[in-house]
Amino acid sequence: MRCKTCDYTLWNLRSRQCPECGSPFKPSDFSFVTNSVRFCCPHCGQDYYGTGLDGHLEPRTFDCVRCGTRIDMDEMVLLPTEGVAEERTIPDEMPWLSKSMGFFSRWWKTVLRGATQPARIVHLTQPESSAVTATWFLVVTHAVIGLLSVLTIVGFFVLMGLFAGMGGGGPGVGPTLVASFVGVALAVVGSVIGAIVLAWLWIAVSHGLLLVTGGTTHGIGRTAHAILYTCGPMLISAVPCVGMYFGWMIGGVWWCVSATIMVVRGQSVGPVRATLCVVGPPATVTALGIAAYIALIFGALSTARTAAVTAAGTARGMAAVAETQSIATAINAFALAQGRPPAHALELVTDGTLSAAMLSSVSTATTTAAIAFEATDLQTFSLMPATQAKSMAARASASLPAGVVAHRVVDFVFTYHGFDPAGPNNAALWVVIHSPDPASNPVSTPGAVGLANGSAMPMPQGMFPTFLQQQNDIRATFGLPPLPDPGTVRTGVSASAVPEDDR
Ligand SMILES: [Zn+2]
Ligand SMILES: [Zn+2]
């Protein structure tokens, strides 16, 4: 029994005033552990023991058995019972529901004891105790968590702002601070509302599960006590930096364990059933959250990869179209100048219309080390003396079979045989196909086709067979034989018109 104003001990006093500060007091203002306090008659010293509610005398007014004077509990001299230490006279109580403690110690003691002595705390909480009062504990705790978390972040930015502002001076700091305070308030209120909603969802689901799995001793309010009064460990999540990552996990697991113990004691439920019903819902939500997060990460990765592949493909496709157009233009120019198409594409190079390097596409795996003709690679061919190159081009054209339809030089298949590429009506005929050299490219998908008028068309992925069919239909109207799949036209293995009966 200590003075509520100055904490001075009030034992063994006849006076009803604190000797230290003068505040009046009455023994009935205090609660004691039953039988822990001796009430002595102020007239004869006869002692009585407090056996009633709050360790008070029962009845509180009576005639003294020794001196016969009518005495009241509030006029008696109090002492701890023989052999009982003073602190053992203070009855244990649920701190949050205490009327003798200050607000902060009510909250902080509930945080600590809810986390460490859940069974004791639920025992000290009457089953009928208000769930709204318990919700206030959650509100205060989460407001503290929200405030600490947000202040950490704001503190960081304010520090950054101060450092940034050192050079430039003061203006702008005021509005920033006001915005910071408004932001802090909004963030805290939001986090508290979120906590109330989530906690009550948890309470409702857990209590529902308890009801369907065999019932409970008390109503949903008791389950609410268990979940609300054990939220203290979530304060770990407010620890700067680490709290954000590990605090949630540690605090959450601790909260679940304490709440389960409270449900076991408070609702007289077996530990296995209590664990399933209390830990089950948040564990399921967490597992789903982690799964969704992983799915999101992987989804984002594969989207990024697809986009990268598409972008690379687009860039390659554009390069192929540009290269094909240069070659189609060269063929058209050659035909205009010479009045005939080149006998062999190498003639475009020896003629000076096209550079040899152009025949190796940048969009394929082919290099200038690829064979251009016989055993000569493109690089060597481009560096040959003119006479030697011309004689090689002549040999190349002589090697083409009669009725040739298509021949390959490295990455391009030439299809201008049998018509005048500069002819006014031949614009829709293909003169060249961008076809990665099968000798260097395991997959040879045409990237573009060049037309007789010197233009080029991209070949979207998978569309080539359709376009080839259309081209062959057009060729048929010109009386030209169909073009083969350019991938089958290899260096030194040109395609010629196949007689009707062999097709
Ligand atoms: Zn006092
Ligand atoms: Zn007496």
Side-chain angles (χ1 to χ4, degrees), residues 4 42 47 65 70 108 127 154-155 235 243-245 287 303 318 351-352 382 385 390 436 454 473:
K4 288 188 181 182
D47 50 11
V65 290
R70 187 136 189 100
W108 181 238
V154 170
L235 279 164
M244 257 181 246
Y245 304 102
T303 306
M318 285 164 66
D351 180 67
S382 70
K390 281 196 168 150
D473 291 346

Side-chain angles (χ1 to χ4, degrees), residues 2-10 17-25:
R2 283 169 179 272
C3 172
K4 288 188 181 182
T5 312
C6 73
D7 210 36
Y8 191 82
T9 56
L10 302 174
Q17 274 194 331
C18 169
E20 183 73 13
C21 71
S23 305
F25 74 91

Side-chain angles (χ1 to χ4, degrees), residues 41 43-46 48 64 66-69 71:
C41 171
H43 311 290
C44 68
Q46 172 65 42
Y48 301 90
C64 177
R66 192 190 286 183
C67 67
T69 320
I71 46 176

Side-chain angles (χ1 to χ4, degrees), residues 313-478:
T314 306
R316 262 208 316 274
M318 285 164 66
V321 172
E323 291 166 337
T324 307
Q325 180 160 8
S326 302
I327 292 171
T329 307
I331 293 167
N332 187 274
F334 185 100
L336 270 178
Q338 307 278 334
R340 60 163 180 98
H344 190 278
L346 289 183
E347 205 182 345
L348 289 168
V349 179
T350 56
D351 180 67
T353 317
L354 191 71
S355 93
M358 285 298 292
L359 293 165
S360 164
S361 169
V362 295
S363 69
T364 66
T366 316
T367 64
T368 51
I371 297 301
F373 182 66
E374 290 168 344
T376 308
D377 62 66
L378 203 54
Q379 179 80 19
T380 312
F381 177 74
S382 70
L383 299 173
M384 268 181 186
T387 46
Q388 213 179 322
K390 281 196 168 150
S391 92
M392 179 170 279
R395 282 207 309 282
S397 53
S399 77
L400 295 178
V404 64
V405 171
H407 71 276
R408 172 182 292 276
V409 179
V410 189
D411 278 334
F412 293 88
V413 168
F414 295 86
T415 59
Y416 54 71
H417 300 283
F419 63 95
D420 178 11
N425 302 317
N426 299 341
L429 291 169
W430 294 359
V431 292
V432 62
I433 302 170
H434 173 277
S435 164
D437 189 355
S440 316
N441 298 272
V443 180
S444 174
T445 314
V449 294
L451 302 175
N453 65 3
S455 67
M457 268 195 331
M459 284 291 124
Q461 192 83 30
M463 291 299 291
F464 184 76
T466 313
F467 281 99
L468 181 64
Q469 187 54 54
Q470 283 173 6
Q471 178 64 25
N472 282 338
D473 291 346
I474 295 171
R475 285 175 67 92
T477 66
F478 282 83

